[in-house]
């Protein structure tokens, strides 16, 4: 089981702030494909992967990162600040 956290507009589109999922996805990209295939709201949230960032166990990662041993995946838009 993996805890998935959604932040900002990703959370708004998916409709929940977090969920726990059972997955055999080997990478973040494969997990995104699984989630996007669930329902339209997930497909909408993950439609533009270039506008998303991901963190695995609170560390920034790429979409090709492996999920083996990961307990938490967080999806969020890029942050700006100053």
């Amino acid at each position: 089981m993996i805890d998935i956290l959604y932040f900002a507009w990703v959370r708004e589109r998916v409709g929940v702030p977090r969920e726990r999922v059972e997955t055999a996805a080997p990478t973040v990209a494969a997990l995104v494909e699984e989630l996007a295939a669930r329902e339209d709201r997930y497909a909408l949230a993950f439609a533009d992967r270039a506008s998303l960032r991901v963190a695995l166990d609170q560390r920034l990662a790429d979409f090709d990162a492996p999920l083996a041993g990961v307990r938490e995946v967080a999806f969020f838009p890029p942050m700006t600040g100053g």
Side-chain angles (χ1 to χ4, degrees), residues 5-78:
L5 309 175
Y6 305 104
F7 293 94
W9 58 259
V10 184
R11 175 177 45 208
E12 291 172 12
R13 291 179 185 174
V14 171
V16 295
R18 71 182 312 138
E19 62 185 321
R20 181 166 257 202
V21 300
E22 183 76 38
T23 183
T27 64
V28 174
L31 175 63
V32 167
E33 293 302 319
E34 269 185 27
L35 293 171
R38 284 174 141 187
E39 297 177 33
D40 288 345
R41 61 189 173 123
Y42 289 93
L44 179 62
F46 293 109
D48 182 12
R49 216 179 280 171
S51 66
L52 283 173
R53 298 296 176 263
V54 63
L56 304 178
D57 293 330
Q58 301 183 7
R59 293 192 174 166
L60 288 177
D62 294 320
F63 281 83
D64 60 352
L67 290 177
V70 171
R71 291 171 286 147
E72 179 186 274
V73 178
F75 293 104
F76 50 93

